[in-house]
Amino acid sequence: MSLHLIELPIALRALHLWAGHRGIDAADEGLALHHLLGEAFGPAALQPFRLLVAPRARSGTLYGYARVDAETLRLAALPVLGPSETEVIRLDALRSVPRPPETWVTGQRLGFDLRLRPVVRLASALQGETETGAAVSLSKGAEVDAFLAAALRGLPGSREAIYLDWLAERLAPAAELEPERTGLASFQRSRIRRGGRRLEGPDAVIHGTLRITDPAAFADCLARGVGRHRSYGFGMLLLRPPQRPC
C-alpha cells in the first residue's frame, strides 16, 4: 500500500483554545495534536507527524504520513468535525502527494530533518552523577535520556555522538547514516504529559543524509517513524536533498 505525505495548516491560537476546553495541556502541542488528529481522522490515521512553525507565526504547517490520500482523509473528517475543530484545521487546505514503494531504491541518498525524543528504557537500575555533579538514581524500566544513560554507564562520547549512534541503531537495516553529513541541529529539554504523568526529557533535531540499504524496510520506517512518542510529533523523517558535509 502506498504512503502519502500530508500537509495541513494549523491555527495555533485555535489549537490552544481547543486543547484548553478539552482539559488538555495546551503547552504540549504534540499531545493536543495527537487528540485532535485522532478525533478528526481516526486513531493513528495521520502519524508520525511534525508541526513546523516560523518564529512569531500565528499558524504552522503540519506534515505527516498516512496510508490514504488527502481526499480520503477529508471525507473521513467531514461528518465528524465540529465547529471548534474547523477553526484549528482547514480541510479545504489539506493536501497530499504519494510516496509509493517504488520511490525507494538501494543506494539512494536522501537528506532528512528529524525531530526526536532520544530516550531508552533501562533494563536495570542505574546510579551515578550527571555532568553537573548531581546525584542520580534511576529505577529499572525508567525512560531516560540516551546521553544520560550512556554517561552513567561510563561510556565515552558527546551528546551528538550518542544521539547519532542511537539513531543509526533505529534506522537499521533500512538505511545507514552518512556521519560527515549528519549532525545535531538543535537540542533542548522539554516537558510532555503522557498517561497523566509529566515527563521531562530530551528534544532534539537532527539534520543529515542517509543511504537506503533496504527499500522495503525504509518504506516501513517512514510509515512507522523513529523512536518513541511518534504519535505526539516526534520521529517523522522529513526528506530533503542530500546535505553538505557538517
Side-chain angles (χ1 to χ4, degrees):
M1 183 181 295
S2 291
L3 198 64
H4 298 264
L5 175 65
I6 306 296
E7 181 183 285
L8 178 64
I10 299 291
L12 297 177
R13 183 173 183 275
L15 173 65
H16 296 160
L17 290 173
W18 179 88
H21 292 156
R22 295 299 185 92
I24 299 169
D25 185 357
D28 187 347
E29 290 178 342
L31 178 64
L33 286 167
H34 169 83
H35 287 283
L36 177 66
L37 296 174
E39 291 188 22
F41 304 111
L46 185 49
Q47 70 175 53
F49 67 83
R50 171 93 174 269
L51 179 66
L52 296 181
V53 181
R56 297 181 296 280
R58 297 182 178 180
S59 64
T61 302
L62 184 140
Y63 295 93
Y65 289 118
R67 293 292 187 179
V68 296
D69 62 11
E71 184 59 22
T72 302
L73 289 172
R74 190 170 14 252
L75 291 174
L78 278 172
V80 299
L81 215 60
S84 59
E85 287 86 7
T86 59
E87 293 180 358
V88 183
I89 59 178
R90 285 178 41 210
L91 288 180
D92 62 323
L94 179 64
R95 302 189 296 174
S96 67
V97 291
R99 293 286 189 264
E102 57 269 23
T103 303
W104 321 115
V105 296
T106 300
Q108 185 176 5
R109 299 174 64 245
L110 295 165
F112 66 89
D113 179 335
L114 177 61
R115 183 190 180 202
L116 289 168
R117 194 86 172 171
V119 293
V120 294
R121 290 279 188 190
L122 295 183
S124 60
L126 268 180
Q127 294 183 349
E129 292 185 351
T130 66
E131 305 170 274
T132 60
V136 176
S137 180
L138 302 169
S139 60
K140 177 181 177 180
E143 181 180 287
V144 180
D145 183 338
F147 175 67
L148 175 59
L152 293 176
R153 293 188 176 106
L155 301 178
S158 65
R159 182 180 298 276
E160 179 178 68
I162 296 298
Y163 287 173
L164 294 188
D165 286 346
W166 179 96
L167 174 57
E169 290 178 5
R170 284 152 183 79
L171 288 177
E176 295 177 344
L177 294 177
E178 294 187 2
E180 70 280 6
R181 290 180 170 80
T182 304
L184 184 63
S186 67
F187 169 78
Q188 63 178 339
R189 302 195 71 81
S190 63
R191 295 181 181 275
I192 58 176
R193 186 177 293 277
R194 301 289 183 268
R197 296 186 302 128
R198 186 174 289 277
L199 306 174
E200 190 268 349
D203 190 334
V205 175
I206 292 176
H207 293 168
T209 297
L210 56 79
R211 183 176 62 85
I212 296 175
T213 50
D214 184 331
F218 183 72
D220 289 340
C221 183
L222 286 182
R224 183 180 67 255
V226 181
R228 289 183 52 76
H229 305 282
R230 298 185 299 271
S231 61
Y232 297 90
F234 294 92
M236 181 195 177
L237 279 163
L238 277 168
L239 299 178
R240 302 284 188 262
Q243 304 295 294
R244 295 178 179 178
C246 296

